[in-house]
Amino acid sequence: MQKDIVYKFFLVSAYILAFSMPLSIALDNVGIGIGILAFFISILHWKDFLRVLSKGKFFLYVLIPELMSCLLNGTKNILKFSDINQHLIVYYVSYMVSKNRILLKRVINIFTLAVFLLCFSVFFEALTGQNIKHINLHTLTLAQHLYRAKGFLTHPLTTAGVLYLSMVLLLFSYFYFARKKVYLILLPLIVVSILFTESRSYWLGLFLFFFLILILLLRKRLKIVFAVTGVSLALIVSIICFSSSLSARMASIVNIRSNPSNVIRLLIWQSHLRAFLYDYSREEKLFGVCEKNKKFGWHELSNSCRFLSKYNNIPPDKLKSWVHGMEAHNIYIKFLTKYGVIGLLGFLLFWGYIFKRNFHLLRINSEVASIFIAGYAGFLLAGFFENNFTDAEVQILLYFILGINMFLVDSFTRDKDADPS
């Protein structure tokens, strides 16, 4: 009876998260709260609780270095300045719900509807210039050019991250749930929506994703792979070619001399790395400085600007508005400067474990494993240009996908080991 109650709480949490992840961070926290309640109820059955808890032990690669850094640097609010927070429950919610294939399919169907609504909101904003949450009917017209869109979420980069991971989850769902076409049909809409966010990091992630899918699934599902990839790439090329703003955005990817966004990003990276090399003590290089990494980076920003005469002697207030609070905009530099060499190593080991498990799954279920491998690879490539792993909305969906992924890895591996043949 207790197990049934716990599972029902996890299921309700999953339903709420499925609808809210593409639409609302506030509603996400409601779903997370219900998941936490289920987690605490499960403690009453101690052995089951420990068994469930052990399914996420690979998170310790990330969490232990973060905790060490926070403690060594006297950080008072560890929950705020590390990944040791309520988002972790999302992994367990999806892991538990994945045990029932029928119920998981219902959760994914709700998620599919929410993703469609997010795509609609992105299209609406890109084509009208108005955010769907703040519509002015008196001035509503079709715009003369495409606007950079964020839809229901808070920032175009966040929206692109959620859309990218949604694509991964829906493509997995197509293969896992008897090739239900609605999951596949929605993918081109997601791809175009990512274009409309003008988030170049996820454009690169998309290209890597499709490239790896071609390599990993070429022999098994040639027609499907070529159909999805062909349609998606044709849409990408045609939209970029016929939109001057998107064409300019695409061309700017390799412009590191005069494009302001690229130059500022390079300044931020250089400032953080200079601070790590010249200002950190040996202990700080090893364990990081936790939330103080931004202050160290800001201290070196003026030195970084000296290498670019165009950006030298800029008033500090103006410069500060350009560098976005000295966020690293590179998840690897962020982990290095915030949690030290040990923190970066832990982050890489975390992903190494996930890839190892999926490459093992590749020999058992190549379609499912290929989607996850290609999806994570594209996500990590995007991480070179932003802090996607620690973006709350993106992180919640990532943990949701990881829960499904790790359950399938465990179940497929267990079934194969039990097969006498």
Side-chain angles (χ1 to χ4, degrees):
M1 179 65 70
Q2 180 185 306
K3 288 184 179 180
D4 291 339
I5 293 174
V6 170
Y7 187 82
K8 286 178 181 178
F9 272 107
F10 275 127
L11 183 59
V12 171
S13 175
Y15 282 145
I16 295 173
L17 286 167
F19 185 74
S20 63
M21 284 185 296
L23 302 176
S24 169
I25 186 65
L27 195 55
D28 279 347
N29 288 322
V30 175
I32 289 171
I34 295 173
I36 291 173
L37 182 60
F39 205 71
F40 277 112
I41 294 174
S42 69
I43 295 178
L44 297 175
H45 201 287
W46 187 246
K47 290 183 179 180
D48 287 343
F49 171 73
L50 291 178
R51 190 179 299 113
V52 171
L53 192 65
S54 68
K55 301 301 181 182
K57 58 179 181 278
F58 63 96
F59 278 100
L60 294 176
Y61 286 125
V62 171
L63 300 182
I64 289 177
E66 293 188 4
L67 180 60
M68 291 171 61
S69 180
C70 289
L71 292 175
L72 289 171
N73 286 283
T75 300
K76 296 180 180 179
N77 194 341
I78 294 176
L79 298 180
K80 179 179 179 181
F81 293 108
S82 74
D83 295 300
I84 307 170
N85 55 42
Q86 73 276 13
H87 298 166
L88 289 168
I89 198 66
V90 177
Y91 169 82
Y92 292 100
V93 168
S94 61
Y95 189 100
M96 295 297 292
V97 173
S98 297
K99 294 181 177 182
N100 189 315
R101 189 185 180 103
I102 295 174
L103 294 179
L104 177 62
K105 186 176 181 179
R106 292 177 185 172
V107 170
I108 298 298
N109 288 342
I110 294 173
F111 178 78
T112 303
L113 172 62
V115 172
F116 173 78
L117 293 175
L118 177 60
C119 290
F120 175 79
S121 72
V122 170
F123 269 72
F124 181 85
E125 186 172 357
L127 298 175
T128 66
Q130 291 194 27
N131 184 270
I132 199 165
K133 295 184 291 185
H134 309 286
I135 300 175
N136 186 337
L137 295 177
H138 297 291
T139 60
L140 183 61
T141 58
L142 198 62
Q144 298 296 317
H145 61 87
L146 291 175
Y147 283 85
R148 189 179 187 188
K150 60 184 178 182
F152 284 110
L153 300 177
T154 56
H155 191 277
L157 274 174
T158 298
T159 302
V162 170
L163 285 168
Y164 174 84
L165 291 175
S166 299
M167 176 191 69
V168 175
L169 183 54
L170 292 182
L171 189 54
F172 149 76
S173 300
Y174 170 78
F175 285 110
Y176 189 60
F177 295 116
R179 288 161 179 75
K180 190 174 181 181
K181 291 182 180 179
V182 66
Y183 303 133
L184 202 62
I185 293 171
L186 200 56
L187 294 184
L189 191 64
I190 294 174
V191 170
V192 177
S193 297
I194 293 175
L195 288 181
F196 286 166
T197 66
E198 297 187 15
S199 301
R200 297 168 297 173
S201 55
Y202 285 104
W203 292 4
L204 295 174
L206 273 178
F207 280 114
L208 180 60
F209 175 81
F210 285 122
F211 176 73
L212 290 177
I213 286 295
L214 281 173
I215 293 175
L216 295 170
L217 288 182
L218 185 60
R219 295 180 181 177
K220 297 290 184 180
R221 299 293 171 190
L222 184 62
K223 292 182 180 179
I224 293 174
V225 170
F226 271 118
V228 174
T229 304
V231 170
S232 299
L233 291 179
L235 279 169
I236 291 173
V237 172
S238 60
I239 291 173
I240 290 176
C241 289
F242 287 100
S243 170
S244 58
S245 60
L246 293 183
S247 298
R249 191 75 172 162
M250 178 65 76
S252 71
I253 290 177
V254 295
N255 183 354
I256 61 174
R257 292 185 178 275
S258 59
N259 181 268
S261 177
N262 293 350
V263 171
I264 290 170
R265 193 152 299 190
L266 289 173
L267 284 175
I268 294 171
W269 295 354
Q270 187 178 37
S271 299
H272 277 290
L273 291 175
R274 283 181 60 87
F276 179 81
L277 291 173
Y278 302 122
D279 300 335
Y280 284 34
S281 66
R282 286 186 180 181
E283 182 182 282
E284 289 169 340
K285 287 179 180 177
L286 196 59
F287 298 105
V289 295
C290 202
E291 81 277 11
K292 294 181 286 188
N293 68 323
K294 295 178 185 178
K295 293 181 179 179
F296 277 89
W298 174 251
H299 179 261
E300 285 290 342
L301 185 60
S302 58
N303 292 327
S304 298
C305 288
R306 293 173 186 171
F307 294 96
L308 294 166
S309 58
K310 181 179 178 181
Y311 295 91
N312 203 1
N313 299 321
I314 296 175
D317 291 340
K318 185 175 182 180
L319 189 58
K320 193 170 185 178
S321 67
W322 287 0
V323 297
H324 315 293
M326 280 308 295
E327 283 288 350
H329 286 283
N330 179 307
I331 195 63
Y332 308 97
I333 293 177
K334 179 172 183 174
F335 266 87
L336 177 66
T337 58
K338 192 172 182 180
Y339 305 117
V341 172
I342 291 179
L344 178 59
L345 181 61
F347 181 72
L348 296 177
L349 287 173
F350 170 85
W351 283 107
Y353 174 85
I354 293 169
F355 277 108
K356 179 183 177 182
R357 297 296 305 276
N358 278 290
F359 274 111
H360 180 69
L361 180 62
L362 198 61
R363 299 192 295 269
I364 304 171
N365 190 315
S366 61
E367 293 168 342
V368 168
S370 297
I371 299 303
F372 288 125
I373 291 170
Y376 296 143
F379 181 79
L380 290 174
L381 175 61
F384 273 99
F385 308 99
E386 58 158 319
N387 304 319
N388 55 2
F389 183 81
T390 54
D391 186 338
E393 292 97 325
V394 177
Q395 188 182 68
I396 289 170
L397 181 51
L398 175 66
Y399 286 178
F400 193 86
I401 293 172
L402 282 173
I404 297 172
N405 183 196
M406 290 299 107
F407 170 78
L408 293 177
V409 168
D410 290 341
S411 61
F412 282 141
T413 304
R414 186 168 54 248
D415 291 344
K416 186 172 190 268
D417 292 341
D419 187 355
S421 61

